[in-house]
Amino acid sequence: MTFVHPWVLLLLCVPVLLVWTVIGRGAGLSMPFDHKHHPRRRVLTWVLGAFDLVPLLLLAVAIVVLSGPQMLKQPRSERVLTNIQIAMDVSGSMGGPRYRMASTAIEDFTKVREGDAFGLTLFGSHQIRWIPLTKDLQAIRNAMPFANPEHQPWHMIGTSIGAALKFCMENMEHEAAEGDRLIILVSDGVSSDLGSGQEFEIGEELKSAGITVYHIHVAEDAVPSEIVELARLTGGDAMAASDQSSLRAVFGHIDKMKPAKFKPSGTVPLDHFGPFAAAALVLLGLQLVGLLGMRYTPW
């Protein structure tokens, strides 16, 4: 055990010196009202003396607590960083209700993943790294209004999912120093640069980079088979969500599939007040009992 303020322990000499005032005290004034000789009751004398020592023991405990006792605790768990890159489709077909649903779900997802690093990439025919990986998740939430497809330039009209995934992979390889790597692809259409085996090639590259892809298909039709193959090749999955409730369920499923991980952090000195607090409570109880009757009288 160590102490933050060891010099405070010097004050323990105060209760130690005061102990002699209790031990050296006489028996008090004898008043034989019944004109009889009374034998000395040594046990009672020691019991009453012990109760008189309780306030001094409380003072000693308070001094020890003020000195800041600490102990080296066993390894604690700290959160392992998960790097999550959101690839948001901002092509023309993602406007209106689809954009609003996706935007709300992404904001909600960042709130349940506090402690992870998020990045935001907007893509259509081209890609824009809107926000690099950051643990300031409020920045992601503040950026969602700028992802509105209705406000994008004309050259973002198309959908190039393959190029967007490669773009996210390159950025993540430079930005993600540690932890798991995850891309959440939010789109509603078929990509112009997937098919003819390209999805397997891109999937293998992502898998080699240690990146898992989850695709959320925000549309009523079936999920394109090439995106399903790509996502599953990386260890992820592709899921459809056509309304707000199903979209929340998909994000909840991703959260369960890739839960927060924890690892031991090394031993560190932490406050060790528990035993002293317990001792103080016991002593306060004894003091209460003493005040109710176990005390000296003048005779």
Side-chain angles (χ1 to χ4, degrees):
M1 183 183 297
T2 59
F3 298 91
V4 179
H5 309 293
W7 58 268
V8 177
L9 295 175
L10 294 174
L11 297 176
L12 287 174
C13 63
V14 176
V16 171
L17 293 174
L18 292 176
V19 166
W20 296 106
T21 64
V22 176
I23 296 176
R25 182 172 56 188
L29 178 63
S30 298
M31 301 181 68
F33 288 103
D34 53 359
H35 306 288
K36 292 183 179 179
H37 174 72
H38 295 277
R40 292 178 61 87
R41 292 185 287 180
R42 295 185 179 276
V43 175
L44 181 59
T45 301
W46 283 103
V47 170
L48 294 177
F51 275 101
D52 275 358
L53 290 176
V54 170
L56 300 180
L57 294 175
L58 279 170
L59 176 60
V61 171
I63 291 172
V64 174
V65 170
L66 289 174
S67 68
Q70 292 186 330
M71 289 282 287
L72 285 176
K73 300 294 185 179
Q74 292 296 320
R76 297 179 303 166
S77 294
E78 65 178 14
R79 184 171 182 144
V80 177
L81 186 68
T82 301
N83 303 284
I84 303 174
Q85 185 74 244
I86 296 175
M88 178 77 174
D89 184 355
V90 293
S91 60
S93 59
M94 276 291 292
R98 292 179 180 176
Y99 157 72
R100 289 190 291 272
M101 284 193 309
S103 177
T104 301
I106 290 171
E107 290 179 15
D108 293 341
F109 187 62
T110 60
K111 293 176 182 177
V112 301
R113 299 291 299 209
E114 292 287 348
D116 290 331
F118 275 74
L120 177 62
T121 294
L122 308 181
F123 75 94
S125 302
H126 297 77
Q127 308 83 38
I128 302 174
R129 186 180 66 162
W130 196 262
I131 296 180
L133 286 173
T134 176
K135 296 178 73 173
D136 180 11
L137 303 190
Q138 186 60 47
I140 302 294
R141 295 189 280 270
N142 291 339
M144 294 315 299
F146 298 96
N148 192 335
E150 297 175 1
H151 302 157
Q152 304 304 318
W154 64 269
H155 60 269
M156 298 290 281
I157 294 176
T159 304
S160 299
I161 293 176
L165 291 175
K166 285 186 175 181
F167 182 79
C168 291
M169 178 180 64
E170 292 173 359
N171 290 331
M172 190 168 284
E173 286 179 334
H174 288 91
E175 297 170 357
E178 58 179 353
D180 292 343
R181 301 176 179 183
L182 179 66
I183 294 178
I184 298 179
L185 172 66
V186 182
S187 179
D188 68 338
V190 177
S191 176
S192 60
D193 59 352
L194 291 179
S196 303
Q198 289 177 297
E199 63 273 17
F200 296 104
E201 178 182 340
I202 297 174
E204 287 292 347
E205 292 181 18
L206 290 165
K207 182 179 178 181
S208 299
I211 299 174
T212 304
V213 176
Y214 283 93
H215 171 53
I216 302 178
H217 188 66
V218 190
E220 294 75 17
D221 56 345
V223 183
S225 59
E226 59 269 19
I227 304 179
V228 174
E229 295 291 342
L230 188 154
R232 291 178 178 173
L233 186 60
T234 66
D237 203 355
M239 297 153 283
S242 57
D243 55 39
Q244 194 67 62
S245 60
S246 62
L247 194 55
R248 287 197 183 98
V250 168
F251 273 103
H253 177 70
I254 295 173
D255 185 47
K256 292 179 181 178
M257 293 294 292
K258 285 291 183 179
K261 296 181 180 179
F262 297 87
K263 68 177 181 180
S265 61
T267 57
V268 292
L270 296 176
D271 291 335
H272 190 59
F273 296 133
F276 302 102
L281 287 174
V282 173
L283 292 172
L284 284 172
L286 291 174
Q287 176 69 358
L288 180 62
V289 173
L291 292 175
L292 290 175
M294 300 299 292
R295 62 185 185 273
Y296 280 105
T297 59
W299 53 86

